[in-house]
Amino acid sequence: MAAKLKKGDKVIVLAGKDKGKTGEITSVDPKAGKAVVDGVNIAIRHEKQSQASQGGRTPKPAPIQLSNLAIVDKNGKATRVGFKMDGDKKVRFAKTTGDVI
């Protein structure tokens, strides 16, 4: 099945503690159905000090469920993703505006 959300897409969070926040997808795990979005779902991780880095509490983005994300269209609103054939190529498009993503 083709991926509706890919790395580099601008998305908005639909549910959870970060509802309404927007960010860019940095990585996607299709098998687990999760994605890491920068600036969203930040967790504090404790890091041990090493020669290279100072230890302490470091904020790190945690994965978020793909079903809780929606792509942002050109108007800045959440939209669903559809697929259509553009010539002989399959492309993604925004359902609200009809623009190719």
Side-chain angles (χ1 to χ4, degrees), residues 40-66:
V40 174
N41 199 23
I42 301 294
I44 302 290
R45 293 284 171 246
H46 292 77
E47 226 171 61
K48 195 171 184 179
Q49 186 174 358
S50 66
Q51 286 183 333
S53 66
Q54 179 72 30
R57 297 164 41 127
T58 56
K60 187 178 177 188
I64 188 167
Q65 197 72 31
L66 287 174

Side-chain angles (χ1 to χ4, degrees), residues 3 9 21 38 47 56 58 61 63 67 72 74 76-78 95 99:
D9 286 346
K21 286 188 181 178
D38 61 333
E47 226 171 61
T58 56
S67 62
V72 176
K74 66 177 183 184
K77 295 206 173 182
K95 292 261 188 162
D99 294 340

